[in-house]
Amino acid sequence: NEQRARRFAQEIGNGVHVDCVWNCPARSEVSDARPPLDGVTLRILYHGSIVPARLPTTVLMALSMLPKGVRLRIVGYETIGHKGYVRQLQELAAQLGIAGRVEFLGPVPQREELLALCRQCDVGLSLMPKQSLDNNEQTMTGASNKPFDYLACGLALLVSDLPDWRVLFVDGGYALAVDPADPHSIATAVRWLLEHPAESRAMGERGRQRILREWNYEEQFAPVLPRLTEKSSHARCS
Protein backbone atom coordinates (compact mmCIF):
# COMPACT_ATOMS: atom_id res chain seq x y z
CA ASN A 1 0.00 0.00 0.00
CA GLU A 2 1.53 3.26 -1.11
CA GLN A 3 0.17 5.12 1.92
CA ARG A 4 1.94 2.66 4.20
CA ALA A 5 5.15 3.13 2.21
CA ARG A 6 4.98 6.92 2.55
CA ARG A 7 4.33 6.68 6.27
CA PHE A 8 7.19 4.23 6.73
CA ALA A 9 9.59 6.50 4.81
CA GLN A 10 8.57 9.47 6.95
CA GLU A 11 9.11 7.53 10.16
CA ILE A 12 12.52 6.22 9.05
CA GLY A 13 13.63 9.62 7.74
CA ASN A 14 17.02 10.38 6.15
CA GLY A 15 15.47 10.40 2.67
CA VAL A 16 15.41 6.61 2.54
CA HIS A 17 13.92 5.04 -0.61
CA VAL A 18 11.04 2.64 0.06
CA ASP A 19 9.70 0.11 -2.44
CA CYS A 20 6.08 -0.99 -2.10
CA VAL A 21 5.53 -4.68 -2.82
CA TRP A 22 1.95 -5.92 -2.72
CA ASN A 23 1.05 -9.01 -0.72
CA CYS A 24 0.43 -11.20 -3.77
CA PRO A 25 0.64 -14.97 -4.32
CA ALA A 26 3.30 -16.66 -6.41
CA ARG A 27 2.47 -17.65 -9.97
CA SER A 28 2.86 -21.31 -9.00
CA GLU A 29 -0.05 -20.91 -6.58
CA VAL A 30 -2.56 -19.87 -9.25
CA SER A 31 -5.22 -22.51 -9.87
CA ASP A 32 -6.49 -23.81 -13.19
CA ALA A 33 -9.59 -22.20 -14.71
CA ARG A 34 -12.69 -23.04 -12.74
CA PRO A 35 -15.66 -25.06 -14.08
CA PRO A 36 -18.99 -23.25 -14.62
CA LEU A 37 -21.30 -22.50 -11.71
CA ASP A 38 -24.69 -24.23 -11.61
CA GLY A 39 -26.75 -21.24 -10.45
CA VAL A 40 -28.10 -23.26 -7.51
CA THR A 41 -25.16 -23.49 -5.10
CA LEU A 42 -22.67 -20.80 -4.13
CA ARG A 43 -19.85 -21.32 -1.66
CA ILE A 44 -18.57 -18.20 0.10
CA LEU A 45 -15.15 -18.19 1.78
CA TYR A 46 -13.63 -16.03 4.46
CA HIS A 47 -10.06 -16.61 5.58
CA GLY A 48 -7.99 -14.61 8.04
CA SER A 49 -8.35 -13.23 11.54
CA ILE A 50 -11.88 -13.73 12.84
CA VAL A 51 -12.74 -10.31 14.23
CA PRO A 52 -15.84 -8.10 13.90
CA ALA A 53 -14.09 -5.64 11.59
CA ARG A 54 -13.22 -8.33 9.03
CA LEU A 55 -16.11 -10.76 9.47
CA PRO A 56 -19.08 -8.82 10.89
CA THR A 57 -22.23 -10.52 12.13
CA THR A 58 -24.06 -8.91 9.21
CA VAL A 59 -22.56 -11.62 6.97
CA LEU A 60 -24.51 -14.30 8.85
CA MET A 61 -27.63 -12.15 8.82
CA ALA A 62 -27.27 -11.83 5.05
CA LEU A 63 -26.84 -15.59 4.70
CA SER A 64 -30.14 -16.14 6.50
CA MET A 65 -31.87 -14.09 3.76
CA LEU A 66 -30.48 -16.23 0.94
CA PRO A 67 -31.43 -19.62 -0.56
CA LYS A 68 -30.19 -22.77 1.15
CA GLY A 69 -27.73 -23.40 -1.67
CA VAL A 70 -25.59 -20.51 -0.42
CA ARG A 71 -23.06 -21.63 2.19
CA LEU A 72 -20.27 -19.94 4.13
CA ARG A 73 -16.86 -21.40 4.99
CA ILE A 74 -14.74 -19.65 7.65
CA VAL A 75 -11.03 -20.42 7.93
CA GLY A 76 -8.91 -18.58 10.46
CA TYR A 77 -8.27 -17.70 14.06
CA GLU A 78 -9.49 -15.51 16.87
CA THR A 79 -7.23 -12.70 18.03
CA ILE A 80 -6.38 -11.97 21.65
CA GLY A 81 -8.61 -8.92 21.56
CA HIS A 82 -11.67 -10.88 20.39
CA LYS A 83 -11.66 -14.13 22.30
CA GLY A 84 -15.06 -15.80 22.13
CA TYR A 85 -16.06 -14.19 18.83
CA VAL A 86 -16.21 -17.54 17.04
CA ARG A 87 -18.60 -18.83 19.68
CA GLN A 88 -20.68 -15.69 19.24
CA LEU A 89 -20.89 -16.33 15.50
CA GLN A 90 -21.78 -19.98 16.04
CA GLU A 91 -24.56 -19.01 18.45
CA LEU A 92 -25.89 -16.41 16.01
CA ALA A 93 -25.89 -18.96 13.18
CA ALA A 94 -27.92 -21.31 15.36
CA GLN A 95 -30.38 -18.55 16.26
CA LEU A 96 -30.80 -17.67 12.58
CA GLY A 97 -31.36 -21.30 11.64
CA ILE A 98 -28.32 -21.48 9.35
CA ALA A 99 -25.87 -23.45 11.50
CA GLY A 100 -25.80 -26.24 8.92
CA ARG A 101 -24.76 -23.78 6.22
CA VAL A 102 -21.81 -22.23 8.10
CA GLU A 103 -18.56 -24.18 8.33
CA PHE A 104 -15.94 -23.18 10.92
CA LEU A 105 -12.63 -24.85 10.07
CA GLY A 106 -10.30 -22.95 12.39
CA PRO A 107 -6.74 -22.14 11.33
CA VAL A 108 -4.91 -24.35 8.84
CA PRO A 109 -1.17 -24.91 9.31
CA GLN A 110 -0.04 -24.90 5.67
CA ARG A 111 -0.65 -22.30 2.98
CA GLU A 112 -1.05 -25.08 0.41
CA GLU A 113 -3.96 -26.43 2.44
CA LEU A 114 -5.52 -22.96 2.66
CA LEU A 115 -5.39 -22.49 -1.11
CA ALA A 116 -6.87 -25.95 -1.63
CA LEU A 117 -9.83 -24.89 0.52
CA CYS A 118 -10.11 -21.67 -1.51
CA ARG A 119 -10.37 -23.65 -4.73
CA GLN A 120 -13.44 -25.43 -3.37
CA CYS A 121 -15.32 -22.12 -3.06
CA ASP A 122 -16.79 -19.55 -5.45
CA VAL A 123 -16.81 -16.15 -3.74
CA GLY A 124 -14.26 -14.56 -1.40
CA LEU A 125 -15.08 -12.08 1.36
CA SER A 126 -12.65 -9.22 1.92
CA LEU A 127 -14.48 -6.66 4.02
CA MET A 128 -13.19 -3.64 5.92
CA PRO A 129 -15.19 -1.12 8.00
CA LYS A 130 -16.32 1.91 6.03
CA GLN A 131 -15.58 4.11 9.04
CA SER A 132 -12.37 3.35 10.91
CA LEU A 133 -9.76 5.30 12.87
CA ASP A 134 -7.33 2.37 12.67
CA ASN A 135 -4.39 3.19 10.37
CA ASN A 136 -3.99 -0.49 9.52
CA GLU A 137 -7.62 -0.82 8.45
CA GLN A 138 -7.40 2.39 6.42
CA THR A 139 -4.49 1.09 4.33
CA MET A 140 -5.31 -2.54 3.52
CA THR A 141 -5.62 -2.35 -0.27
CA GLY A 142 -2.53 -4.06 -1.64
CA ALA A 143 -1.43 -5.01 1.88
CA SER A 144 -4.18 -7.59 2.46
CA ASN A 145 -3.44 -10.98 0.90
CA LYS A 146 -7.09 -12.11 1.03
CA PRO A 147 -8.36 -10.72 -2.29
CA PHE A 148 -5.24 -11.79 -4.17
CA ASP A 149 -5.46 -15.32 -2.74
CA TYR A 150 -9.13 -15.53 -3.70
CA LEU A 151 -8.48 -14.29 -7.23
CA ALA A 152 -5.58 -16.70 -7.65
CA CYS A 153 -8.14 -19.46 -7.08
CA GLY A 154 -10.68 -17.99 -9.52
CA LEU A 155 -13.12 -16.63 -6.92
CA ALA A 156 -15.25 -13.54 -7.47
CA LEU A 157 -14.88 -10.98 -4.69
CA LEU A 158 -17.13 -9.13 -2.28
CA VAL A 159 -15.37 -6.02 -0.97
CA SER A 160 -16.38 -3.00 1.05
CA ASP A 161 -17.72 0.02 -0.80
CA LEU A 162 -14.62 2.14 -0.22
CA PRO A 163 -12.97 4.31 -2.92
CA ASP A 164 -9.59 2.54 -3.01
CA TRP A 165 -11.17 -0.93 -2.98
CA ARG A 166 -13.50 0.08 -5.80
CA VAL A 167 -10.63 1.36 -7.94
CA LEU A 168 -8.50 -1.73 -7.38
CA PHE A 169 -11.08 -4.50 -7.57
CA VAL A 170 -14.57 -3.34 -8.60
CA ASP A 171 -13.59 -1.15 -11.56
CA GLY A 172 -11.55 -4.01 -13.02
CA GLY A 173 -14.56 -6.32 -12.93
CA TYR A 174 -13.33 -8.69 -10.23
CA ALA A 175 -15.64 -7.70 -7.38
CA LEU A 176 -18.95 -6.34 -6.19
CA ALA A 177 -18.94 -3.64 -3.51
CA VAL A 178 -21.16 -3.85 -0.43
CA ASP A 179 -21.83 -1.97 2.78
CA PRO A 180 -20.38 -4.36 5.39
CA ALA A 181 -22.66 -2.92 8.07
CA ASP A 182 -25.84 -3.66 6.08
CA PRO A 183 -26.93 -7.31 5.75
CA HIS A 184 -29.35 -6.39 2.97
CA SER A 185 -26.51 -4.91 0.91
CA ILE A 186 -24.46 -8.10 1.36
CA ALA A 187 -27.44 -10.35 0.59
CA THR A 188 -28.29 -8.40 -2.57
CA ALA A 189 -24.77 -8.77 -3.92
CA VAL A 190 -24.57 -12.48 -3.11
CA ARG A 191 -27.96 -13.09 -4.68
CA TRP A 192 -26.77 -11.39 -7.87
CA LEU A 193 -23.73 -13.66 -7.98
CA LEU A 194 -25.93 -16.71 -7.43
CA GLU A 195 -28.40 -15.72 -10.14
CA HIS A 196 -25.70 -14.78 -12.65
CA PRO A 197 -23.40 -17.82 -12.60
CA ALA A 198 -21.64 -17.09 -15.90
CA GLU A 199 -20.89 -13.49 -14.92
CA SER A 200 -19.76 -14.55 -11.46
CA ARG A 201 -17.31 -17.07 -12.83
CA ALA A 202 -16.10 -14.53 -15.40
CA MET A 203 -15.26 -12.12 -12.57
CA GLY A 204 -13.09 -14.75 -10.93
CA GLU A 205 -11.44 -15.68 -14.21
CA ARG A 206 -10.58 -12.06 -15.00
CA GLY A 207 -8.99 -11.82 -11.59
CA ARG A 208 -7.12 -15.09 -12.05
CA GLN A 209 -5.67 -13.82 -15.31
CA ARG A 210 -4.65 -10.54 -13.63
CA ILE A 211 -2.82 -12.53 -10.96
CA LEU A 212 -0.96 -14.51 -13.61
CA ARG A 213 -0.13 -11.38 -15.58
CA GLU A 214 0.67 -8.79 -12.94
CA TRP A 215 -0.57 -9.34 -9.39
CA ASN A 216 1.90 -12.07 -8.49
CA TYR A 217 4.91 -12.09 -6.19
CA GLU A 218 7.44 -12.39 -9.00
CA GLU A 219 6.16 -9.30 -10.83
CA GLN A 220 5.65 -7.30 -7.67
CA PHE A 221 9.10 -8.07 -6.30
CA ALA A 222 10.91 -7.57 -9.63
CA PRO A 223 11.80 -3.87 -9.01
CA VAL A 224 13.43 -4.79 -5.68
CA LEU A 225 15.45 -7.78 -6.87
CA PRO A 226 18.13 -5.86 -8.83
CA ARG A 227 18.86 -3.68 -5.82
CA LEU A 228 19.28 -6.74 -3.60
CA THR A 229 21.47 -8.60 -6.07
CA GLU A 230 23.57 -5.49 -6.70
CA LYS A 231 24.25 -5.10 -2.99
CA SER A 232 24.99 -8.82 -2.70
CA SER A 233 27.48 -8.56 -5.57
CA HIS A 234 29.22 -5.59 -3.97
CA ALA A 235 29.46 -7.46 -0.68
CA ARG A 236 31.14 -10.42 -2.38
CA CYS A 237 33.62 -8.17 -4.19
CA SER A 238 34.62 -6.40 -0.99
Side-chain angles (χ1 to χ4, degrees):
N1 186 284
E2 294 294 344
Q3 188 175 343
R4 288 173 183 250
R6 288 193 298 270
R7 184 179 300 143
F8 181 73
Q10 291 169 358
E11 292 176 354
I12 296 297
N14 300 321
V16 65
H17 174 80
V18 176
D19 286 302
C20 178
V21 179
W22 288 1
N23 201 357
C24 294
R27 283 197 187 101
S28 61
E29 295 177 320
V30 179
S31 70
D32 295 333
R34 301 292 298 279
L37 287 165
D38 60 14
V40 176
T41 60
L42 197 71
R43 297 157 296 182
I44 304 170
L45 174 69
Y46 172 85
H47 86 64
S49 57
I50 303 175
V51 298
R54 310 289 202 280
L55 184 62
T57 55
T58 49
V59 172
L60 296 186
M61 296 176 192
L63 187 63
S64 70
M65 304 173 188
L66 293 163
K68 293 182 179 180
V70 182
R71 304 177 66 87
L72 172 65
R73 170 177 286 174
I74 300 171
V75 181
Y77 53 90
E78 289 182 331
T79 64
I80 293 175
H82 294 282
K83 287 292 185 182
Y85 188 56
V86 168
R87 176 61 62 86
Q88 180 182 339
L89 292 175
Q90 290 172 329
E91 291 175 350
L92 177 59
Q95 293 169 10
L96 294 171
I98 57 171
R101 295 163 55 197
V102 183
E103 185 180 17
F104 292 88
L105 296 184
V108 296
Q110 300 293 329
R111 178 166 169 78
E112 182 179 347
E113 182 182 355
L114 173 63
L115 293 176
L117 292 170
C118 286
R119 295 182 187 110
Q120 297 170 7
C121 296
D122 309 304
V123 178
L125 285 179
S126 191
L127 303 179
M128 298 300 302
K130 292 186 67 176
Q131 302 288 336
S132 177
L133 299 177
D134 186 304
N135 285 331
N136 184 53
E137 292 178 350
Q138 293 173 359
T139 57
M140 288 300 288
T141 48
S144 174
N145 64 304
K146 287 185 187 66
F148 300 118
D149 286 349
Y150 297 148
L151 292 178
C153 296
L155 278 64
L157 302 180
L158 285 182
V159 301
S160 294
D161 192 3
L162 293 165
D164 48 347
W165 287 82
R166 274 191 166 276
V167 169
L168 195 59
F169 298 113
V170 179
D171 292 352
Y174 322 123
L176 296 181
V178 302
D179 180 352
D182 182 0
H184 293 279
S185 173
I186 299 170
T188 297
V190 174
R191 189 180 297 277
W192 188 93
L193 293 170
L194 176 67
E195 295 177 350
H196 297 80
E199 292 90 336
S200 300
R201 195 56 103 204
M203 290 169 65
E205 177 60 17
R206 280 193 293 270
R208 193 182 73 88
Q209 292 295 333
R210 186 72 180 269
I211 297 291
L212 282 170
R213 185 173 65 250
E214 178 184 356
W215 289 347
N216 58 75
Y217 185 76
E218 291 86 350
E219 282 293 322
Q220 292 295 314
F221 203 74
V224 182
L225 187 58
R227 296 175 60 202
L228 292 180
T229 54
E230 179 184 359
K231 291 180 179 179
S232 176
S233 176
H234 288 167
R236 286 196 300 271
C237 291
S238 61

